[in-house]
């Protein structure tokens, strides 16, 4: 595969049964890059405090990232709320992977993006941790039920991937309002810093969209949707859904002006 400039990944949740490590390995093999940003919840210490599931594929994910860092790819890890214990080590380097609280990334076409996990803009996570933990457990249950439903769909010969967790988010008005409020908050933070947009994770809802003149990008997750963000050599950002064929691309504004 042709080399890309940057990969943005979040919410992998290593250490859980829901982690789609095999899908992620396939994605990484097909996307060599100059830089990789791991934008939070890469390791799920919350879930591992209840029970640990660490598969051979998850171990390979860690080894592959370390190997890519040794071979010259710049890898930056921005911890999220599920791996917040690693925030105590911001500014240090582990196995050639640098840990940072946040980062400002400049794309090839000159746009500047704030990179944060996003939990700092989630009022539930910040001030009502027990509610956040309960919600996390409920989400995990939905993902596990989805594994069973996917098996049934395959047995019935129904094509395509259908997400129970995604369906629940779309149908519950409070969930949709939470997503909209979250997007507004992170965009406001980017505007305050006079940046062109934000790239984040946290809510497991992949997107690339324009919001009030700024660009909002969410990486999605690797427990349900299996999505990541790719920056191509011209600075174009693309949302890649590895399970399916749908992608959403954000063109280089300069190319649009020339068209």
């Amino acid at each position: 595969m042709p080399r890309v400039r940057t990969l943005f990944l979040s919410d992998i949740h290593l250490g859980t049964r829901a982690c789609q490590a095999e899908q992620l390995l396939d994605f990484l093999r097909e996307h060599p890059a100059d830089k990789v940003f791991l934008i939070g919840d890469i390791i799920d210490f919350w879930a591992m405090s209840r029970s640990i599931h660490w598969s051979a594929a998850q171990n390979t994910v860690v080894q592959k990232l370390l190997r890519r860092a040794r071979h010259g790819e710049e890898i930056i890890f921005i911890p999220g709320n599920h791996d917040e214990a690693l925030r105590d080590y911001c500014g240090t380097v582990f196995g050639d992977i640098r840990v940072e609280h946040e980062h400002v990334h400049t794309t090839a076409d000159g746009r500047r993006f704030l990179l944060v996990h996003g939990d700092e803009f989630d009022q539930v996570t910040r001030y009502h941790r027990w509610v956040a933990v309960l919600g996390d457990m409920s989400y995990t249950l939905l993902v596990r039920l989805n594994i069973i439903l996917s098996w049934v769909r395959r047995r019935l010969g129904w094509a395509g991937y259908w997400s129970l967790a995604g369906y629940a988010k779309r149908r519950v008005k409070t969930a949709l309002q939470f997503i909209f409020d979250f997007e507004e908050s992170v965009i406001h933070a980017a505007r305050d810093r006079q940046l062109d947009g934000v790239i984040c994770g946290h809510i497991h809802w992949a997107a690339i969209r324009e919001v009030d003149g700024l660009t909002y990008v969410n990486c999605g997750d690797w427990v349900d949707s299996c999505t990541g963000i790719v920056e191509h050599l011209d600075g174009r950002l693309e949302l890649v859904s590895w399970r399916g064929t749908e992608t959403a691309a954000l063109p280089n504004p300069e190319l649009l002006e020339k068209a």
Side-chain angles (χ1 to χ4, degrees):
M1 288 291 293
R3 194 173 190 86
V4 299
R5 189 169 187 263
T6 317
L7 296 181
F8 304 90
L9 304 169
S10 74
D11 298 272
I12 297 173
H13 292 275
L14 293 169
T16 69
R17 292 184 181 276
C19 173
Q20 300 293 321
E22 293 85 357
Q23 299 279 356
L24 178 57
L25 285 172
D26 289 342
F27 175 85
L28 290 172
R29 291 187 190 103
E30 295 297 320
H31 292 88
D34 297 328
K35 295 183 179 181
V36 179
F37 289 100
L38 305 172
I39 310 181
D41 288 2
I42 305 306
I43 304 171
D44 195 333
F45 291 129
W46 284 17
M48 290 170 67
S49 68
R50 301 189 294 267
S51 65
I52 300 175
H53 177 80
W54 197 276
S55 66
Q58 293 183 37
N59 202 51
T60 303
V61 168
V62 175
Q63 293 176 346
K64 189 172 187 64
L65 289 170
L66 289 170
R67 184 164 56 250
R68 289 174 72 149
R70 287 197 305 271
H71 290 172
E73 289 189 23
E74 182 180 3
I75 299 184
I76 296 176
F77 177 21
I78 300 170
N81 52 303
H82 284 253
D83 42 27
E84 61 187 351
L86 298 177
R87 285 174 171 163
D88 293 337
Y89 300 95
C90 288
T92 60
V93 177
F94 294 98
D96 298 315
I97 296 177
R98 190 163 76 253
V99 183
E100 295 185 1
H101 178 69
E102 61 180 39
H103 188 82
V104 174
H105 172 71
T106 303
T107 59
D109 53 18
R111 290 173 293 166
R112 299 170 68 234
F113 284 83
L114 173 65
L115 272 55
V116 290
H117 178 63
D119 60 289
E120 53 266 66
F121 303 100
D122 176 354
Q123 300 303 308
V124 173
T125 299
R126 290 187 64 185
Y127 301 113
H128 306 283
R129 185 183 176 94
W130 71 270
V131 177
V133 172
L134 181 60
D136 174 63
M137 295 172 67
S138 300
Y139 179 79
T140 299
L141 177 60
L142 286 178
V143 171
R144 289 184 178 181
L145 289 173
N146 211 95
I147 294 173
I148 299 173
L149 289 174
S150 295
W151 180 84
V152 172
R153 286 172 62 87
R154 288 195 300 270
R155 296 286 291 181
L156 294 175
W158 295 354
Y161 177 75
W162 184 77
S163 169
L164 176 61
Y167 174 79
K169 288 179 181 177
R170 288 189 297 271
R171 298 294 294 180
V172 179
K173 290 184 179 180
T174 53
L176 288 175
Q177 188 59 51
F178 167 80
I179 291 170
F180 296 148
D181 291 345
F182 175 84
E183 293 177 358
E184 183 179 342
S185 295
V186 294
I187 281 293
H188 182 74
R191 179 176 288 106
D192 283 348
R193 301 190 190 196
Q194 298 183 328
L195 301 174
D196 298 296
V198 63
I199 301 175
C200 60
H202 186 56
I203 61 173
H204 294 209
W205 195 262
I208 298 180
R209 65 169 60 95
E210 295 292 327
V211 180
D212 297 331
L214 274 69
T215 304
Y216 169 81
V217 183
N218 194 293
C219 302
D221 64 90
W222 290 89
V223 299
D224 183 36
S225 61
C226 294
T227 52
I229 302 297
V230 172
E231 180 196 354
H232 294 281
L233 298 180
D234 61 358
R236 178 173 53 96
L237 298 177
E238 180 183 11
L239 192 165
V240 179
S241 176
W242 198 242
R243 264 185 171 144
T245 58
E246 295 183 359
T247 61
L250 182 68
N252 182 330
E254 294 181 1
L255 295 180
L256 286 177
E257 293 174 359
K258 295 175 182 178

